[in-house]
Amino acid sequence: MSKEDVALALRLTKQFLVATNLDPAVLRGGEPTAALALLDPRQPEVLPNLRRALRDPDEQHDPLDLVSRFDPAEVRLAGDVVRVRGRMTFAAGEKPGEVRVHADYTFVYPLVRAGDGDGPVTRTIIRRALTTSLLDPAQWQATRGRIGLYRYDNEFGNSACDVRDGYYHPEFGDGLPTGTPATGPAKDPYDRGRRLAGEDDGRCWAVSRT
């Protein structure tokens, strides 16, 4: 793959992350149309499964695996700033004609209750590890200018557990819960030293700080 292909893979991966985690309309519960347009329709099941999850989420089809969304009837962003920390790297694929991009980012969303301009502010922290793949259509069954999803993992802090409606539900710590509280031992959601893949204690846990 050429330098231009690598640059394209990096650019498309960044666009996908922005479209799924920073687009204001998506954060307010909208469909990530721009992100869907970046995915290769020739990759089996990925697009159909994501569209199914957005349309009718459940435990097996959860859009939050890839998309950050909040219920606009419940909460809204406090201001316009979402803090982001992370990095992207790239490498050749296992076979010729492929470049893979690995992205590992933490997103911090400051939130207030909908319609409550002077109420308490809380933060939901989401970390995503995503590996995308750009394939050469001359060597693979692939669509030029689109990326595939090779792997994705995520975890979140300060959101109600066991709610499968396609939205994060942050807790405010003021005695007015929005859903089932987070469970498990408290962890630091800003600790980027932990690997996401392979953790066996679930993605939903209490946070030591927000």
Side-chain angles (χ1 to χ4, degrees), residues 35-166:
L36 295 175
L38 297 171
L39 296 177
D40 192 341
R42 302 187 72 175
Q43 184 180 23
E45 299 185 356
V46 171
L47 268 173
N49 284 346
L50 182 52
R51 289 193 174 108
R52 160 70 167 78
L54 290 163
R55 183 177 65 251
D56 188 19
D58 58 28
E59 187 172 359
Q60 284 72 44
H61 304 86
D62 190 349
L64 301 183
D65 288 342
L66 285 165
V67 184
S68 297
R69 301 199 306 169
F70 300 90
D71 185 347
E74 181 180 286
V75 296
R76 62 176 177 82
L77 282 176
D80 301 322
V81 178
V82 175
R83 295 191 179 275
V84 182
R85 183 182 179 188
R87 63 196 296 259
M88 281 196 295
T89 59
F90 68 89
E94 297 177 357
K95 296 181 180 180
E98 179 185 18
V99 59
R100 290 181 185 171
V101 175
H102 180 70
D104 186 339
Y105 284 88
T106 298
F107 301 87
V108 182
Y109 301 94
L111 301 150
V112 295
R113 286 191 172 90
D116 191 354
D118 298 321
V121 177
T122 193
R123 293 173 182 83
T124 291
I125 302 96
I126 302 166
R127 183 178 170 194
R128 300 193 183 278
L130 173 75
T131 302
T132 64
S133 176
L134 183 71
L135 302 174
D136 180 359
Q139 302 180 64
W140 299 80
Q141 291 186 355
T143 304
R144 187 174 301 279
R146 304 287 185 93
I147 52 172
L149 297 183
Y150 180 75
R151 179 171 186 149
Y152 49 91
D153 300 284
N154 72 94
E155 66 180 20
F156 57 86
N158 191 29
S159 180
C161 299
D162 301 323
V163 181
R164 308 296 182 181
D165 62 356

